[in-house]
Amino acid sequence: MIDGQVRLKQELIRFQSIIALLLMVVAMSFLSDNFLTTANGWNILRQISVNLCLSIGMTLVILTGGIDLSVGAVLAISGAFAAGLLKNGIAFSEADLLIQFSVSGAILAGLLMGLFLGWFNGLMITRFRIPPFVATLGMFSIARGLTMLWTKGFPITGLGETFAIIGTGNYLGIPMPVWISAALVTVFVVVTRKTRFGRYVYALGGSERASLLSGLNVDRIKVAVYTICGGLSAVGGLLVTSRLDSAQPNAGLGYELDSIAAVVIGGTSLSGGRGSILGTLLGCLIIGVLNNGLILLDVSPFWQQVVKGLVILTAVAIDKMSKKLQ
Amino acid sequence: MSTVDTPRTILEAQAMSKSFPGVQALDNVDFRIYEGQLNALVGENGAGKTTLMNILSGVFPPDSGRILLRGNEVVFNRPKEAQEAGISVIFQELNLLPNLSVAENIFLGREPLTRLGLIDYAQMEERSRSLLERLKCPVNPRSLVSNLRIGQQQVVEIAKALSFDSRVIIMDEPTSAITESETSVLFDLIDSLKSEGVAIVYITHKLEELERIGDWLTVLRDGCWVGSGRQTDYDRDSIVRMMVGRKMNQDLSTESRRRITVGEELFKAENISVEQVNRPGHYLVKKVSFSVDRGEVLGIFGLMGAGRTALLEALFGLRNEFSRGNTFLEGRRVNINSPGEAIRAGIAFAPEDRKEEGLVLKMTVAENTSLASLKESERFFVLDSSLERDQVQGFIDRLRIKTPSLSTPVLNLSGGNQQKVILAKWLATSPKLLMLDEPTRGIDIGAKQEIYSLIEELTGAGLAVLMASSELPEIMRLSDRIIVMAEGRKTAEFSREEADTESIMKAALHFRAAV
């Protein structure tokens, strides 16, 4: 009986976000004729795809009880790295050698860059016991700086049509970024719910000490989580760069906040151990609909930020209140 | 310095009772505190000393009973009220803020102010200095508490108590963390406080200290008053007898014992030492050796701070850099550097703190049960939930765990059932050696019995059990052999036949002559 009640409440918490999303959709449909159209629907899904990539990684990190403030900066350096390699290759002037990169080679290099920086975060956090907030704040600065060094402060543009496919292409009438983010959501829903690793992530966030005493390799799990988060940030970076056909030196500025917001609105507890990828998907959708709606209504971008902040506060306040009711 | 007749009573507890869910912590206890005297309170762990201390200092109210201060009834709703009435406690874990100065700590929350409303540091430091001088402690009031030795920190706590004009100072095992020279300084200090008329309540396990400084003695056992009187009227043996009581030997004889067969040796530990994490050269465990046979329960008895937990943690690979010694499993040398390695070798460990260390409270019964053996439920890198549920259900049936369902949060279970979930988690790893640290702490009597019979069942099936406990009846009931630890050392070993409560307690109190 107790079990049933707890379940029901858990479901209600999940429904809170769905109800909020539906209310927003209904409200927007009345306020703007352009909102409830197929084209705008795909538009929203495409717009949230980058945030979704970051937020999936962020969800894993937050589930372990950590935080990653470097996702936006890692996105920027990974995108710029891939773009630079594709456009210019690497020149070794002494050896009179120029290594050119194919599209897939450049993409791979961008992904590796993200994975490496994420791994580095994990190393700092586990080996040197630096709190995640500080370790990833350091990485934020490092990756931002590296992006400026690599791009020399100028956008890298003209990346060719093949590279543009991942950001702008369509398959079966559905935009490529939507395919990619949908695939990632599917994979990580399975990872979190159906694999040993996923279970360990929740256990670690629930109680690090109990996880350690149950024989879990706590440090390895943490490193894996931050590495994955870095890799997913790189996917976001490639999508952004491809979509704009340009690697901007300050791409992804402030994206870490959007992704933390999506995770929190999606009901994942910042203290770790509780939350879900599907919740984060909802969180991304809510933020996406909000951004899209406010633009359609011609609300000033400054007000958009204010509204977004209020939505985050409301979501978390409701979450806390419903937990208290339990 | 024996006074003529009985000295004046300053504080008195009359007919104190207090119960917590599942435990009667205090049952109709009387305790009298005399002015200018050292009033010792002794008893085993769980005898009710801490509860009594908490009531007298206003941490929580009693269920029934009265507190009389100089003959007038008083009620303390919070610690501050007791403090203002002149009753201070010096806890075992000192309550100072390490990054503040000595003076700031002494006057925390009631700093003297200047006319502008700023903190009057000059006055605060001057008053601190005179307090510390009175205590003959030459510490600069400006130095940070974190730079002081433990003994000096204790004096700062006493200075803080005096700054409240305390007439009663309760000290909870004050000598457990300090060196011998610091101890003699503390004793001198206690003497001078007594001559100023301050009443000291002294809680300790070290009976030899009482011979030096004690005036009055009260013994508690299982929440009940057993006796009190002048220190000089008791010797150590009679105190120990009062602490353990006669009833436990009765328990032992009435209870049905399983057969005692000696199996082959399964696990051996040689010269295990564990160093304190931030105090190199200080040992929590010093050169402890023992062995456990298949199907045997080896009990490790020791009072608070004897090093039981540190020993088990070291064997489980949790104190790598700080532990030394050799371990052998089934005759082969094993080197265990992490809990994962311990589990693979066939060692399981149910820690003392169930909620923080044993369980992930946010997870369900099933998730907690399978946590250490999840690999078994895996097929091609994906968890097979029906396989997992079947396995978990098997253990839930076998251990008779009462839970509404497998997906109930483990948080909602009773303490006894939570402990069974932890045991189920370990049985799922098919261990050879099961280490239990205080397996029934905070569990009600019915569930205790169930856990006991479970342990007997498991050893019957050949499992070796290493059980650390501070509850003597528990040790006596389950163990085939008993080793006793005191201050990190093994002080005695008894076979089941030899073991009697008094000699075990003596070894735990570390009477050098008796060992």
Side-chain angles (χ1 to χ4, degrees):
Chain A
M1 194 185 74
I2 297 168
D3 194 38
Q5 285 175 356
V6 170
R7 285 257 132 164
L8 186 68
K9 273 174 187 152
Q10 284 173 343
E11 291 304 315
L12 277 178
I13 290 169
R14 190 176 298 166
F15 277 133
Q16 280 168 11
S17 327
I18 297 181
I19 292 166
L21 180 62
L22 288 177
L23 282 176
M24 282 168 58
V25 169
V26 172
M28 288 311 305
S29 318
F30 281 107
L31 290 171
S32 164
D33 291 340
N34 300 327
F35 180 77
L36 207 61
T37 59
T38 323
N40 193 45
W42 289 125
N43 207 6
I44 292 174
L45 289 179
R46 204 191 57 232
Q47 279 163 356
I48 68 165
S49 60
V50 173
N51 189 23
L52 198 49
C53 292
L54 303 187
S55 302
I56 290 169
M58 189 68 84
T59 307
L60 294 179
V61 166
I62 290 180
L63 278 176
T64 65
I67 192 90
D68 189 344
L69 300 180
S70 69
V71 289
V74 171
L75 171 148
I77 183 64
S78 307
F81 190 56
L85 291 180
L86 185 61
K87 185 100 191 283
N88 308 322
I90 303 181
F92 296 94
S93 41
E94 302 90 41
D96 203 14
L97 180 69
L98 178 72
I99 302 176
Q100 290 282 8
F101 278 75
S102 67
V103 170
S104 45
I107 288 174
L108 189 66
L111 287 176
L112 285 175
M113 174 60 92
L115 289 167
F116 171 74
L117 297 181
W119 172 82
F120 190 83
N121 276 333
L123 188 75
M124 291 296 119
I125 290 161
T126 56
R127 186 60 138 249
F128 300 103
R129 307 277 156 208
I130 301 176
F133 190 97
V134 179
T136 58
L137 189 65
M139 177 53 72
F140 168 87
S141 189
I142 292 170
R144 282 277 160 224
L146 287 177
T147 312
M148 285 302 168
L149 287 170
W150 179 256
T151 61
K152 300 185 179 68
F154 296 101
I156 302 171
T157 51
L159 304 172
E161 280 178 19
T162 326
F163 185 69
I165 291 174
I166 55 170
T168 57
N170 282 286
Y171 180 65
L172 303 178
I174 296 172
M176 283 306 281
V178 178
W179 280 112
I180 291 169
S181 54
L184 288 172
V185 168
T186 315
V187 167
F188 281 96
V189 165
V190 173
V191 166
T192 49
R193 295 170 75 140
K194 285 281 166 196
T195 68
R196 204 143 57 93
F197 172 71
R199 183 72 61 81
Y200 289 169
V201 167
Y202 282 91
L204 178 54
S207 168
E208 181 163 344
R209 181 78 183 161
S211 301
L212 179 72
L213 263 71
S214 297
L216 274 55
N217 192 332
V218 168
D219 284 353
R220 201 154 65 192
I221 298 165
K222 280 191 194 168
V223 170
V225 160
Y226 285 92
T227 309
I228 291 172
C229 190
L232 291 172
S233 306
V235 174
L238 294 167
L239 289 180
V240 171
T241 310
S242 163
R243 167 118 197 109
L244 301 176
D245 188 26
S246 158
Q248 301 286 333
N250 51 10
L253 214 56
Y255 280 22
E256 46 284 326
L257 297 186
D258 271 1
S259 78
I260 294 169
V263 173
V264 169
I265 292 173
T268 295
S269 154
L270 274 177
S271 57
R274 193 172 278 150
S276 68
I277 298 288
L278 286 179
T280 297
L281 172 62
L282 271 176
C284 286
L285 279 168
I286 287 174
I287 291 180
V289 167
L290 196 68
N291 280 340
N292 176 272
L294 293 174
I295 291 170
L296 288 182
L297 292 179
D298 218 10
V299 176
S300 131
F302 305 140
W303 275 112
Q304 289 178 30
Q305 290 189 18
V306 175
V307 172
K308 204 154 60 181
L310 290 174
V311 168
I312 295 169
L313 294 180
T314 315
V316 178
I318 290 174
D319 192 40
K320 289 279 174 206
M321 280 196 297
S322 58
K323 286 223 177 79
K324 210 180 262 173
L325 286 179
Q326 289 179 34
Chain B
M1 61 163 273
S2 68
T3 39
V4 220
D5 300 325
T6 310
R8 278 200 304 164
T9 304
I10 178 160
L11 187 69
E12 188 177 357
Q14 288 184 341
M16 279 298 156
S17 291
K18 176 81 187 175
S19 63
F20 297 107
V23 207
Q24 183 76 34
L26 279 184
D27 190 2
N28 207 22
V29 167
D30 292 325
F31 183 43
R32 207 179 259 265
I33 300 168
Y34 298 108
E35 224 165 45
Q37 302 275 300
L38 187 131
N39 306 267
L41 194 55
V42 296
E44 274 188 273
N45 298 339
K49 296 168 296 185
T50 310
T51 308
L52 184 57
M53 180 180 81
N54 281 332
I55 290 174
L56 289 177
S57 61
V59 175
F60 45 65
D63 295 342
S64 63
R66 303 196 302 163
I67 303 175
L68 302 179
L69 182 64
R70 295 188 187 87
N72 305 316
E73 182 166 356
V74 285
V75 177
F76 301 136
N77 293 312
R78 56 187 78 87
K80 198 165 183 233
E81 292 175 11
Q83 219 165 32
E84 281 161 1
I87 301 166
S88 289
V89 188
I90 293 164
F91 290 98
Q92 209 173 340
E93 299 89 27
L94 300 174
N95 253 337
L96 299 171
L97 301 174
N99 49 351
L100 294 187
S101 75
V102 169
E104 284 167 332
N105 265 290
I106 292 177
F107 288 97
L108 188 68
R110 50 207 174 90
E111 293 82 357
L113 299 179
T114 62
R115 242 177 298 163
L116 293 173
L118 302 173
I119 295 178
D120 187 346
Y121 273 97
Q123 195 199 340
M124 198 162 87
E125 280 160 17
E126 193 39 52
R127 280 167 65 186
S128 303
R129 189 167 293 122
S130 71
L131 281 169
L132 292 164
E133 262 165 31
R134 188 170 146 203
L135 299 175
K136 299 179 188 64
C137 176
V139 166
N140 185 344
R142 288 190 193 173
S143 41
L144 287 187
V145 162
S146 56
N147 293 338
L148 303 186
R149 282 177 286 116
I150 304 280
Q152 292 174 314
Q153 294 187 13
Q154 217 163 35
V155 178
V156 173
E157 281 269 25
I158 296 173
K160 188 172 172 180
L162 291 179
S163 74
F164 281 100
D165 242 340
S166 294
R167 302 307 294 165
V168 178
I169 298 181
I170 305 175
M171 301 183 178
D172 186 9
E173 300 212 29
T175 58
S176 60
I178 61 178
T179 63
E180 258 171 53
S181 63
E182 286 175 325
T183 301
S184 67
V185 172
L186 177 72
F187 287 174
D188 291 346
L189 195 57
I190 286 176
D191 279 337
S192 72
L193 288 171
K194 279 186 345 192
S195 62
E196 291 179 31
V198 175
I200 309 284
V201 177
Y202 195 88
I203 299 175
T204 190
H205 285 310
K206 299 180 181 168
L207 301 185
E208 67 271 17
E209 290 178 1
L210 297 182
E211 285 165 9
R212 217 189 115 185
I213 54 164
D215 299 310
W216 297 85
L217 177 79
T218 297
V219 182
L220 299 182
R221 183 176 70 226
D222 300 332
C224 298
W225 177 90
V226 188
S228 35
R230 281 188 193 275
Q231 176 71 38
T232 44
D233 296 343
Y234 297 98
D235 60 8
R236 287 187 200 175
D237 284 346
S238 57
I239 298 173
V240 169
R241 224 170 294 133
M242 287 164 80
M243 284 168 72
V244 296
R246 214 173 299 115
K247 64 175 186 37
M248 277 189 308
N249 289 324
Q250 288 163 358
D251 273 5
L252 201 62
S253 54
T254 53
E255 157 261 315
S256 67
R257 259 308 289 187
R258 65 202 165 84
R259 88 280 168 270
I260 300 162
T261 47
V262 181
E264 58 194 295
E265 180 180 290
L266 176 97
F267 181 78
K268 188 164 75 169
E270 273 180 3
N271 291 324
I272 305 292
S273 292
V274 183
E275 212 173 358
Q276 289 191 18
V277 173
N278 37 22
R279 291 175 79 192
H282 289 77
Y283 287 87
L284 295 167
V285 178
K286 188 105 195 199
K287 297 208 164 158
V288 171
S289 304
F290 62 87
S291 68
V292 200
D293 292 348
R294 250 181 245 287
E296 186 185 43
V297 178
L298 178 67
I300 305 177
F301 181 74
L303 298 167
M304 214 79 88
R308 291 165 285 138
T309 301
L311 173 64
L312 296 190
E313 285 181 354
L315 296 177
F316 200 58
L318 282 164
R319 286 175 177 266
N320 281 333
E321 296 139 64
F322 305 99
S323 61
R324 273 187 293 284
N326 298 323
T327 48
F328 301 86
L329 196 68
E330 294 174 319
R332 248 173 315 191
R333 174 102 195 258
V334 282
N335 193 9
I336 286 160
N337 292 312
S338 72
E341 286 176 30
I343 293 166
R344 279 189 289 280
I347 301 175
F349 175 44
E352 179 180 356
D353 187 344
R354 282 193 297 279
K355 290 177 193 291
E356 293 295 320
E357 304 199 316
L359 296 167
V360 183
L361 289 179
K362 286 179 180 175
M363 295 179 103
T364 66
V365 171
E367 286 166 336
N368 270 288
T369 307
S370 61
L371 189 58
S373 58
L374 208 51
K375 207 168 181 168
E376 319 255 306
S377 311
E378 199 176 44
R379 278 186 187 158
F380 306 111
F381 303 106
V382 176
L383 294 177
D384 182 334
S385 23
S386 65
L387 190 64
E388 186 186 351
R389 293 183 87 83
D390 285 351
Q391 285 184 345
V392 169
Q393 188 65 53
F395 285 107
I396 288 191
D397 294 342
R398 191 171 148 204
L399 303 193
R400 300 176 290 276
I401 298 172
K402 288 185 203 75
T403 172
S405 81
L406 295 185
S407 47
T408 303
V410 77
L411 182 67
N412 295 354
L413 264 52
S414 69
N417 283 304
Q418 287 183 346
Q419 183 68 301
K420 286 186 185 175
V421 168
I422 297 174
L423 291 179
K425 169 173 84 176
W426 290 120
L427 293 183
T429 65
S430 334
K432 296 171 185 143
L433 173 69
L434 175 61
M435 302 195 293
L436 303 168
D437 194 4
E438 301 281 3
T440 63
R441 167 160 298 174
I443 289 176
D444 65 74
I445 295 173
K448 249 183 197 182
Q449 294 303 329
E450 283 197 54
I451 292 196
Y452 292 161
S453 45
L454 209 70
I455 292 172
E456 291 180 342
E457 229 174 273
L458 294 169
T459 48
L463 187 72
V465 171
L466 188 57
M467 178 182 75
S469 174
S470 58
E471 288 184 38
L472 200 39
E474 179 166 289
I475 289 275
M476 296 290 287
R477 154 136 202 214
L478 287 173
S479 312
D480 295 304
R481 273 186 305 131
I482 298 165
I483 61 173
V484 183
M485 287 179 71
E487 289 165 32
R489 287 165 200 275
K490 177 171 154 182
T491 52
E493 176 165 346
F494 301 95
S495 72
R496 179 168 188 77
E497 296 75 33
E498 299 164 342
D500 71 274
T501 48
E502 280 180 42
S503 27
I504 294 177
M505 189 53 85
K506 279 183 194 169
L509 293 163
H510 197 34
F511 290 178
R512 283 151 196 100
V515 178

